Amino acid sequence: MVLIERRISITALFFVASLEAEGFKLDRFVWGHSQPSANEDHLKMVGRGAAVQFDAISADSDPFFNGPTDDASMLDRIANITKGHPDQVIVSADASVFVHPAKWQYDRDNTYVHRYFAAKLVERLGEDMANNVLRNNVICAFRRGDNVG
């Protein structure tokens, strides 16, 4: 099944509402593969306390989620969200080293984010914010305890 942009957002927002109804704090919730959704939906999600994660960076296409993969689109979305929610954006390549069966192997380069995209983030957001998006926010979202060191 191919999910269109709005459907992914609606599903994610519905899922989050269910978690909130059960008392789950969204400060440790990461909406992965969020790039196909509209930036307004990203802002709704971060407004509720969740983080949004962008991947498919360096891919030629995104046949699984049909989202944008070009650097300019990703940078625009990331910059828009970090203005008001600097601690709630995560960037990754989402590129596996090995996938079985091989036909599902992503066309992404594991090294692209840190070799090339990081410099574009620094240019667009500044070094501190780029470090947040690439490192600190990832650690905070997935750590145990409060140590980011």
Side-chain angles (χ1 to χ4, degrees):
M1 169 165 37
V2 176
L3 299 174
I4 60 169
E5 179 178 302
R6 277 317 276 171
R7 180 93 186 250
I8 292 172
S9 297
I10 290 168
T11 302
L13 293 167
F14 176 79
F15 182 76
V16 163
S18 297
L19 291 174
E20 288 174 321
E22 295 296 323
F24 186 85
K25 288 180 59 185
L26 295 180
D27 63 335
R28 297 291 297 274
F29 179 84
V30 177
W31 178 16
H33 312 293
S34 71
Q35 68 274 1
S37 299
N39 214 218
E40 65 214 29
D41 293 320
H42 299 132
L43 293 171
K44 286 179 191 174
M45 190 67 82
V46 297
R48 293 168 97 161
V52 292
Q53 181 255 351
F54 295 91
D55 58 34
I57 297 166
S58 85
D60 292 327
S61 66
D62 184 10
F64 301 103
F65 301 103
N66 297 310
T69 60
D70 64 292
D71 290 358
S73 292
M74 296 291 197
L75 288 166
D76 288 346
R77 291 162 183 253
I78 293 163
N80 190 38
I81 298 166
T82 56
K83 287 178 193 172
H85 303 276
D87 300 328
Q88 292 169 262
V89 179
I90 295 172
V91 170
S92 77
D94 188 33
S96 302
V97 174
F98 177 78
V99 175
H100 184 76
K103 70 179 182 178
W104 296 112
Q105 179 67 45
Y106 301 151
D107 67 339
R108 298 168 193 157
D109 176 356
N110 277 326
T111 65
Y112 185 84
V113 169
H114 289 281
R115 282 191 181 163
Y116 307 106
F117 194 72
K120 295 175 184 183
L121 281 170
V122 169
E123 184 179 317
R124 182 78 179 262
L125 306 175
E127 191 167 345
D128 289 342
M129 185 59 67
N131 193 44
N132 270 1
V133 168
L134 291 169
R135 180 190 180 277
N136 296 340
N137 295 352
V138 177
I139 293 170
C140 289
F142 296 106
R143 76 179 186 268
R144 292 184 190 176
D146 293 329
N147 186 12
V148 177

